[in-house]
Every structure is written in C-alpha cells, then in structure tokens.
Amino acid sequence: MSASIRGFLSRAPEGSVLPILIEPESAGESLLAALPRLRDRILAHVGTEGAVLLRGFDVPSIDSFRAFAAGFGHPLLSYEFGSTPRTAVGGGVYTTTEYPAHQHIPLHSEQAYTRMWPMKAWFHCVVPADEGGETPLADNRAILARMPPSIRARFEPGIRYVRNYGDFDIPWQKVFNTDSREGVEAFCRQAGIEWEWKDDGNLRTTQLCQAIEKHPVTGEAVWFNQAHLFHVSNLGREVRESLEEILGIENLPRNTYFADGSPIPDAMLHEVRGVLDAETVIFPWQAGDVVMLDNMLAAHARTPFKGARKVVVAMAEAHSNL
C-alpha cells in the first residue's frame, strides 16, 4: 500500500493492502478519459488485491460514472433478487442500500446469499456524509484464513437461506421485479431456489448456497456468504423477541441455517462477526471518489452517518455456480 493512502486510513489490520490508491497524473484529469490508460492497471490490482480507490479524478456526473463502469467491457447488471431497498438511478446504476442513517450495515459481498452474483462492483461517492458513512472493506481471503477451523468445517457444506416476503420485509413483487407468480417461479427454477406460496398470498423461499467458494479466475478460496446478515441474531434483541413472538421462527422475514437445516448458534456467528471486524479497513470518502471491487475478493460495509450522503453503485460480470 502506498504511504499516501496508509496515512489517511482510519483503521486497517496489519499487512492489509486494501484499497490500492490510484491518483491522476494532473489535477482535474477526467476519470473517463483516463480509462484507456488505466484499465489494465486497475484490472490487475482488482484481480490481485481486490479493491482500487480512484481519487482526485474529475467525475462530473453519474452518467460519467456509469460510462466508466461500463468501460470495462461488461453490460451493467440489474439488481435482481435483491435483499435490501434500493432505488434505480438508471442504466444499471442504483443507490446503495437505503437503510436509516443510524444503522450499521455489516461486511458482505454483493448477492453472496445467492448462487448467481456480480464479479465486479463500483461505488461512487457523489456527496460524502458530514460524519461517518464510510464504506469499510475487507479481504475475503484473509477472513477465511482467520476463521477458526471448527467454523470453517461447519460452514463448508453451505448455508441455507430462508426468506419470508411480505409485511415485515421487502414484498416479493419488488424482490423479483414482477407481479406475476409464474415469473417468480420461473426465476426460482433457473436460480435453484425452492419456493412456497403461503395461504396469505405471500411467498417463502429456501436456497442452499455456498459459504466458502473458489474464485473462478484465481482459484483462491474465499469466505463468501451472508449468514451473519440474514441470521436472526443480526436483529436487535427487542426486535428479535417481538418478531419471534408475533411470527414464530419459521415465519421470520429472513434467517439462515446450516446446510442440513439445523440452527446456527448465535455464539458461532458472534465469532464470525469478530473475524470480520478484525479484518476491516476503513477510509473516509471524498466527493468524486470511485472504488472498484472484485466482489469475491473484497467485502464491503457501511458505517452509520450524519448529514447528507449519496453513494451510488453499479455491478457487472455475472457469475453462477449452479
């Protein structure tokens, strides 16, 4: 990691190289115009270290950011089978997760709760928060290496995700971008998702997905799941107790289980969260920043914030392990 970026990191584990900093040759250089010169260098760093921060370039609009992301040769993806509320900005660009500003969003890789995900993701800071609002990063290889062997062994067969759509979570119509039950069922068949229509017209889905996955290019094993995010222990104690009392365990909006369907102990996920926290790198956003990630090599998060904050995201290069 260059000394210039090491100097402003708020926090980083010893030996971390996230993110690699690339700055313009001259003040005011257009990021889009610099792409032909920088493309191979960016891809090399993203493919090895996992994350690149492009800082100090001119990114005059979201359209310019969109063109930059699309300039790596893959059509930008739509946000299918989403798990969080987002708003489409247009042309494959979305707002980042629209959770309340006081809420922390834990480390995760995009759509690691499915068996189809984007290999690349870009984040663009249009307006940084007055306070907080960083997008922490972590190396999924380092997370896996630090994970206790007993947890690795238990997670190796995969994680089972159960989702109940409706009043307490995102409606299935928004998740699947359709009002058609037939359309939902077609998507589920293609994605290897089990589904069940409940008596109240709402939907339950179950899918067995990877917890540890091999990178299709580098061949490296990475920690790649959202078990800690979907598990009921991610809820606050009062919210959890209320939902369990009202809905029952089987009807919680979302939960995760071991591959065999048995419960994942809260204590084990507490250990997982501790490993994620230990590998977290935090740096402050500046207006105009663009971060490019290899979505399997690097995880990201969001810290609570105050004031206005506008960060948008684009994704590309779909991959499936079906």
Side-chain angles (χ1 to χ4, degrees):
M1 181 184 297
S2 67
S4 57
I5 195 167
R6 171 60 71 180
F8 72 73
L9 287 174
S10 302
R11 172 181 160 190
E14 186 62 34
S16 174
V17 295
L18 291 178
I20 297 296
L21 176 65
I22 297 179
E23 297 175 295
E25 290 185 339
S26 57
E29 182 180 12
S30 162
L31 180 60
L32 187 56
L35 178 57
R37 172 174 66 83
L38 294 176
R39 183 185 290 108
D40 289 347
R41 180 182 172 193
I42 293 170
L43 287 173
H45 283 306
V46 168
T48 53
E49 288 86 10
V52 166
L53 168 62
L54 298 138
R55 169 162 289 179
F57 292 90
D58 182 32
V59 187
S61 66
I62 290 177
D63 284 341
S64 179
F65 165 68
R66 179 187 297 109
F68 174 79
F72 287 86
H74 296 274
L76 301 186
L77 300 173
S78 60
Y79 186 50
E80 299 288 344
F81 195 49
S83 66
T84 59
R86 300 186 185 190
T87 300
V89 178
V93 177
Y94 294 81
T95 61
T96 48
T97 298
E98 296 172 346
Y99 281 169
H102 70 273
Q103 189 168 343
H104 169 69
I105 301 175
L107 279 171
H108 63 284
S109 289
E110 289 291 335
Q111 297 185 299
Y113 57 88
T114 75
R115 297 184 63 185
M116 300 185 295
W117 57 83
M119 289 297 297
K120 300 295 190 299
W122 296 260
F123 296 85
H124 170 42
C125 180
V126 181
V127 178
D130 295 339
E131 180 181 327
E134 297 93 350
T135 299
L137 304 174
D139 187 322
N140 284 330
R141 295 162 296 188
I143 290 171
L144 179 61
R146 188 188 285 261
M147 200 63 65
S150 59
I151 295 179
R152 289 182 58 160
R154 198 68 180 90
F155 274 55
E156 186 71 49
I159 296 297
R160 191 172 297 277
Y161 295 84
V162 178
R163 298 179 66 177
N164 287 283
Y165 311 85
D167 296 336
F168 293 91
D169 204 352
I170 308 172
W172 61 263
Q173 293 89 340
K174 289 188 176 181
V175 171
F176 292 92
N177 298 319
T178 181
D179 292 324
S180 165
R181 288 191 176 195
E182 292 78 12
V184 169
E185 293 170 7
F187 181 94
C188 288
R189 276 191 291 270
Q190 181 182 9
I193 300 170
E194 300 173 20
W195 73 89
E196 174 189 351
W197 295 105
K198 300 194 287 187
D199 292 341
D200 61 2
N202 280 320
L203 173 69
R204 175 186 293 127
T205 60
T206 303
Q207 187 177 31
L208 178 61
C209 298
Q210 68 291 319
I212 299 169
E213 183 70 4
K214 182 178 291 187
H215 194 286
V217 176
T218 70
E220 297 167 291
V222 298
W223 186 259
F224 195 72
N225 64 79
Q226 291 191 20
H228 62 298
L229 260 167
F230 277 71
H231 192 263
V232 65
S233 62
N234 193 47
L235 300 173
R237 182 178 60 82
E238 292 183 1
V239 173
R240 174 180 182 172
E241 290 176 354
S242 296
L243 287 177
E244 288 181 348
E245 181 178 352
I246 295 168
L247 302 174
I249 292 292
E250 70 281 0
N251 289 312
L252 289 172
R254 54 184 74 179
N255 206 355
T256 50
Y257 301 84
F258 289 124
D260 61 8
S262 59
I264 304 175
D266 291 8
M268 182 174 287
L269 287 172
H270 180 72
E271 285 192 74
V272 168
R273 294 183 181 103
V275 171
L276 299 180
D277 186 61
E279 287 298 330
T280 297
V281 176
I282 301 178
F283 65 93
W285 278 120
Q286 292 183 11
D289 282 353
V290 171
V291 167
M292 181 174 174
L293 302 180
D294 181 300
N295 186 47
M296 290 190 69
L297 297 182
H300 62 276
R302 192 201 73 184
T303 64
F305 65 93
K306 296 180 180 179
R309 178 188 188 269
K310 184 175 183 180
V311 177
V312 295
V313 61
M315 298 173 285
E317 200 173 334
H319 177 74
S320 170
N321 70 1
L322 288 166

